[in-house]
Amino acid sequence: MDLFLTANGQVRGRRTASDVVAVLGVPYAAPPFGPDRFKAPRPAPAWHGVRECVAFGPIAPQSADLPGAPSWSPGDEDVLSLNVWTGGADGARPVLVWIHGGAYTFGSSAQPDFDGTALVRAGLVVVTLNYRLGFEGFGQVPGGDHPANRGLLDQIAALEWVRDNIAAFGGDPADVTVAGQSAGATSVACLTVMERARGLFHRAVAHSLVGPVYSRQLAADTARLVAEAAGVPVTAEGLTASSPDDLVRASDRVAARLRDDPAAGARYYDPVLYGPVADGDVLPADPLDADPADRADVDLLVCHTTEEYWLLDAVGSSKKITTDGELAAFARDFGLPDDLVPAYRALRPHAPVLDLYLAIFGDMSFAEYSSRFADRHAEAGRSTYLARFARKRVTEGGVVRPWHCADVPFAFGVLDVPEMAFLIGGPPTPEDHDLSRRMVRAWADFAATGEPGWGTDTVRIWGAADEGNAYDGFRAAWRTADYADIHP
């Protein structure tokens, strides 16, 4: 049977394969609009009868149109939903809860990258979720009734739903791994240092963490810019009077203006307006700076790709930097130490300026931040595993790089989904399928046992000819860099 009983009522899913049921669009909280807008998530209302959960729920307000995924339309409000992939209601299998990325501004659990079928066949129950994005989820709203980091609070509400309901889907609520990539990975890192999330998960997987998180001042400055673009005062009343669509459009205008303004500092290069805010309440500190005693006692698996920012260059979201003068200005705008650019020139002596810029930008934003988070977790006495994704492929169009997001379809086992062709450079090869099977197995084993298949004293390099400890030279270049001095 494809019928399951939750605390709010019965749900019916659909088969994605003969041995896998997907239960889609299950509300885990009430629609966060009307009187509940800009507030902490409220419980979802119960329903009578059987709720047909055979299609993804509406996604959070955004302007993005992603391949193979639904778009948001003004009026879509029941956006706090999740999806469960399971092999059946019997047993108590390890659970993997996935938090999608998208610069805290776009994306959803409905993206074809995140189909849980392969991971279910590897022995897991898989949950994916939507959460508030953009201003709705991370914009600063004055007043004590409007907490910061509402998107993170949504994620906690989803984890509470898992605790209370996943047994009905054959999952073990005492064996939950929370996982994410990019903004989703930093969300995972934030959850590990948030008291509200304590006890809701037991392991964590974080691919391509992005940091640092935002200060209260930066969040306030962003709110002011967006309110001005929307033509409203920076007050709870003014922001509430603006519709979600108004604030999406205003945010897009602000990002476009920053992208065209060399005086915008760090936000000139690839403006990301929103992110978790170290407000001292919901999120006590940047995950790198949290007190060791405040770190959740959970096993951790961290991974990043070796050429992250080449994707952002390929899709046109980041500024093209091609001269030495522009590279020097970039380093100044981000507050990078004086010895960092020369260190990268030594690492890549024949690289053009654009490649140096992309390497520094990618390592600053993702690789070094990810690696430091792993260091901090290990220093606090927690079991920590590190991997890097280095798979390259030569095609007629050139080299397909191990760029941002390329690792995700391998870990989910969805290489044959047509929308993955751009990320992985065309149809998958037999070698690709072999790599994917090993990455799926590593996730499943880690979720089940806390061990992904290698030791805490080595680094797995996925897709390299030698998958042993390698590709660590970039870290020496960052030895004098302090994220407290780096401007997001």
Side-chain angles (χ1 to χ4, degrees):
M1 291 288 291
D2 301 340
L3 198 65
F4 305 88
L5 179 62
T6 75
N8 282 349
Q10 287 186 304
V11 293
R12 183 173 14 239
R14 62 176 174 82
R15 295 271 163 175
T16 62
S18 60
D19 54 345
V20 179
V21 181
V23 187
L24 308 177
V26 182
Y28 67 83
F33 299 101
D36 291 338
R37 193 173 180 208
F38 301 138
K39 295 182 180 179
R42 314 285 192 186
W47 56 85
H48 299 288
V50 176
R51 188 181 185 112
E52 298 294 334
C53 293
V54 297
F56 292 107
I59 68 174
Q62 58 189 276
S63 59
D65 290 310
L66 300 179
S71 301
W72 177 73
S73 297
D76 288 348
E77 294 195 345
D78 201 1
V79 300
L80 298 184
S81 66
L82 52 74
N83 319 291
V84 183
W85 278 263
T86 179
D90 59 307
R93 293 179 287 279
V95 180
L96 186 137
V97 179
W98 177 255
I99 302 174
H100 71 81
Y104 308 99
T105 305
F106 62 89
S108 76
S109 63
Q111 293 171 229
D113 322 34
F114 311 144
D115 186 292
T117 300
L119 288 166
V120 168
R121 287 173 167 166
L124 305 182
V125 173
V126 177
V127 178
T128 66
L129 61 103
N130 292 340
Y131 56 100
R132 279 175 283 184
L133 304 171
F135 203 99
E136 302 296 323
F138 295 93
Q140 183 166 300
V141 181
D145 201 22
H146 308 292
N149 300 302
R150 296 176 295 279
L152 297 180
L153 294 176
D154 293 343
Q155 295 163 14
I156 291 173
L159 287 167
E160 290 172 339
W161 185 97
V162 170
R163 177 196 62 200
D164 297 340
N165 292 280
I166 204 64
F169 298 82
D172 184 354
D175 196 5
V176 174
T177 296
V178 63
Q181 185 263 350
S182 194
T186 305
S187 295
V188 168
C190 291
L191 292 170
T192 67
V193 300
M194 294 170 63
E195 182 62 33
R196 290 172 171 85
R198 198 71 79 239
L200 293 175
F201 59 96
H202 312 88
R203 300 183 180 94
V205 176
H207 278 225
S208 299
L209 294 93
V210 56
V213 303
Y214 290 3
S215 67
R216 283 178 287 186
Q217 185 59 57
L218 182 58
D221 292 344
T222 300
R224 176 180 53 79
L225 291 174
V226 173
E228 289 174 355
V232 298
V234 195
T235 62
E237 294 76 14
L239 292 164
T240 303
S242 294
S243 71
D245 188 47
D246 290 338
L247 294 183
V248 167
R249 292 176 183 273
S251 298
D252 287 347
R253 289 195 294 272
V254 170
R257 188 167 70 245
L258 293 170
R259 188 176 283 113
D260 290 338
D261 181 8
R267 285 181 158 181
Y268 168 62
Y269 300 92
D270 192 358
V272 175
L273 298 187
Y274 302 107
V277 180
D279 67 317
D281 178 20
V282 176
L283 180 61
D286 187 291
L288 292 191
D289 301 327
D291 189 289
D294 293 335
R295 297 182 184 277
D297 188 9
V298 298
D299 302 326
L300 174 67
L301 171 58
V302 170
C303 181
H304 65 81
T305 73
T306 57
E307 299 184 32
E308 296 270 7
Y309 234 84
W310 271 262
L311 174 70
L312 289 308
D313 179 64
V315 300
S317 76
S318 70
K319 191 66 61 180
K320 292 277 189 185
I321 298 301
T322 57
T323 70
D324 289 336
E326 290 173 332
L327 185 60
F330 163 79
R332 286 194 304 272
D333 284 340
F334 275 92
L336 301 180
D338 293 340
D339 60 355
L340 195 133
V341 171
Y344 269 79
R345 290 192 188 280
L347 284 171
R348 299 169 173 260
H350 305 295
V353 169
L354 177 62
D355 282 4
L356 290 174
Y357 158 73
L358 293 174
I360 294 170
F361 210 169
D363 290 347
M364 173 185 67
S365 301
F366 301 106
E368 179 63 13
Y369 189 83
S370 296
S371 299
R372 289 194 188 191
F373 180 68
D375 291 344
R376 301 291 189 276
H377 201 74
E379 290 162 1
R382 317 302 196 241
S383 294
T384 306
Y385 300 86
L386 184 60
R388 298 186 173 110
F389 183 84
R391 174 262 192 192
K392 288 189 177 183
R393 179 175 174 183
V394 179
T395 69
E396 292 182 357
V399 177
V400 179
R401 297 179 180 272
W403 56 21
H404 196 56
C405 300
D407 50 336
V408 174
F410 284 85
F412 268 90
V414 293
L415 298 185
D416 291 316
V417 174
E419 288 85 358
M420 299 304 103
F422 172 70
L423 282 179
I424 69 173
T429 65
E431 293 78 13
D432 289 335
H433 279 297
D434 178 67
L435 174 59
S436 179
R437 281 190 291 270
R438 288 185 285 121
M439 292 182 69
V440 168
R441 187 73 265 156
W443 268 19
D445 286 349
F446 179 76
T449 69
E451 298 181 0
W454 63 92
T456 58
D457 58 347
T458 190
V459 180
R460 174 58 54 90
I461 311 296
W462 293 118
D466 177 7
E467 291 189 347
N469 192 0
Y471 187 73
D472 219 24
F474 78 94
R475 297 215 61 196
W478 291 91
R479 67 188 183 280
T480 62
D482 187 341
Y483 273 95
D485 300 323
I486 294 175
H487 316 306

